[in-house]
Amino acid sequence: MKNIQFITFAICLSTLACHACSNEEIKPDMEQSETPSENPDTPPEAATIQMTEAVPEQYFRTARQQGTVEMIEYISKDYAGSMAPTTKPAYIYLPYGYDANQQYDIIYLIHGWTGTAEQYFGLASWPQMKNLFDNMIQNGDCKPFIAVSPTWDKDNRSKGWSESTEEVAAFHNEYLNELIPAVESRYSTYAETFDKAGILASRDHRAFGGFSLGSITTWYIFEHCFDLQKWFLPMSGDNWHIQMFGGQYEPEATAQFLAEVVNASDYKDNFYVWYAVGTRDSRFYQTHNQALAMMELPETFNETNFSYHQKEGGQHDFNSVWEFCYNALPFFFPKNDDTNNIE
């Protein structure tokens, strides 16, 4: 059993402030994905656009079997600036019946611009995310899992665009060096040790996702820490290696770069990207253009490791985030492991 030290925190959530850009809203043609071929000699088919299913209304109500949320603090560094030590919070969702003698899958969910570590679980006026997770687990949609709501910001407060983007670009250092060890040494995941070797050995049971600037963060994690987790959940945002908003303005070059990241890894055959955006999202083209370009590289991104999802009428808000999590997490953490066909 791991020693656990924490500060119990009231459960909650709040409105997410989002950075928006103006794009003409044009809804593309939609297609439903086909069932993957079961013949191993058949090349994987290209991914297609899939529409998400709405969250049941009752999933936003308090579940009978409620999980808990705790806040931990850990020491990190100002990786985007002076490298000075900084104390940071992270909010931890634990499923109903959490038992430190069992092992749990884990997802790290990062907020968007002007958000803080409290975004998903720690603000008093908005408990929907916890209710959603409680109901999904209670109803057997997925296995019990741990969720972490951290922040890239060294001060855990809203910042200007320029400083925020600098901190987002550097967050991958903290993720490996401080955040994963701080969380997974306290809570029971599949990591047996908390150095890089232990993190790699447990990668099949770890996911990383985020919304808006948190999606940009997710793509930085993909770029710099591809090996540390199998599952990626970027929501409404693109990769900026080529340039800021590169997924929108340089989608082919961006997709080619991401393919190079995959093909350079020992885990190139063992990952999954669940990419999503709303059809009326102000960041639609950042996501859509990049997704289409990635789908044009089926030798690297295909139905076995990549899917692109849209919420009909979805905008750049938390209604889309809830729906994406509701659709993605049962695939990442299925109730029956045999239902997950990604090896």
Side-chain angles (χ1 to χ4, degrees), residues 215 219 232-239 247 273-277 286-288 290-291 294 306-310:
S215 183
W219 286 115
F232 297 88
L233 180 58
M235 299 174 281
S236 306
D238 55 343
N239 176 262
V273 175
W274 204 99
Y275 204 8
V277 71
Q286 285 180 233
T287 304
H288 183 67
Q290 178 176 310
M294 293 174 72
F306 179 86
S307 55
Y308 174 36
H309 306 260
Q310 294 181 348

Side-chain angles (χ1 to χ4, degrees), residues 26-262:
I26 303 176
K27 186 174 67 177
D29 293 336
M30 313 298 181
E31 297 179 55
Q32 295 294 330
S33 67
E34 298 177 353
T35 303
S37 171
E38 296 180 357
N39 185 347
D41 297 325
T42 302
E45 295 185 7
T48 56
I49 300 172
Q50 304 177 49
M51 305 309 294
T52 56
E53 296 182 7
V55 181
E57 178 72 23
Q58 63 270 25
Y59 276 41
F60 293 119
R61 302 175 192 144
T62 302
R64 183 179 67 259
Q65 298 177 345
Q66 296 186 46
T68 58
V69 172
E70 301 171 357
M71 188 271 281
I72 68 167
E73 290 184 331
Y74 63 99
I75 303 299
S76 184
K77 299 181 181 69
D78 175 13
Y79 282 104
S82 67
M83 296 294 290
T86 179
T87 300
K88 301 185 68 174
Y91 290 78
I92 318 297
Y93 168 83
L94 300 175
Y96 171 79
Y98 171 78
D99 182 349
N101 292 310
Q102 298 181 14
Q103 292 175 304
Y104 294 87
D105 296 306
I106 188 167
I107 183 168
Y108 294 81
L109 288 170
I110 199 80
H111 58 78
W113 185 41
T114 74
T116 64
E118 290 82 4
Q119 197 68 65
Y120 290 95
F121 305 115
L123 297 172
S125 61
W126 207 3
Q128 282 92 331
M129 183 64 87
K130 179 183 179 294
N131 289 345
L132 173 63
F133 288 177
D134 285 346
N135 277 287
M136 290 176 66
I137 293 169
Q138 176 181 286
N139 294 323
D141 298 330
C142 54
K143 291 189 296 183
F145 61 89
I146 296 170
V148 182
S149 179
T151 181
W152 67 72
D153 190 274
K154 66 180 183 299
D155 304 314
N156 192 37
R157 61 184 178 86
S158 177
K159 298 283 182 63
W161 178 251
S162 178
E163 184 173 356
S164 293
T165 57
E166 291 174 0
E167 292 189 318
V168 161
F171 179 73
H172 62 91
N173 298 290
E174 176 182 323
Y175 176 59
L176 169 62
N177 296 327
E178 286 90 33
L179 180 60
I180 293 178
V183 172
E184 300 192 35
S185 64
R186 287 171 167 87
Y187 299 97
S188 186
T189 67
Y190 283 81
E192 298 296 336
T193 63
F194 315 109
D195 55 1
K196 189 171 183 179
I199 295 170
L200 288 173
S202 56
R203 67 184 299 275
D204 285 5
H205 300 277
R206 185 177 301 108
F208 192 100
F211 172 67
S212 190
L213 202 52
S215 183
I216 311 306
T217 311
T218 304
W219 286 115
Y220 277 124
I221 295 297
F222 187 96
E223 176 179 343
H224 295 285
C225 300
F226 177 80
D227 294 352
L228 302 189
Q229 59 285 303
K230 178 175 180 176
W231 310 99
F232 297 88
L233 180 58
M235 299 174 281
S236 306
D238 55 343
N239 176 262
W240 290 359
H241 179 83
I242 303 299
Q243 67 169 77
M244 186 176 288
F245 310 124
Q248 178 172 350
Y249 298 115
E250 295 285 347
E252 291 80 12
T254 298
Q256 185 59 51
F257 167 72
L258 295 172
E260 292 169 2
V261 170
V262 171

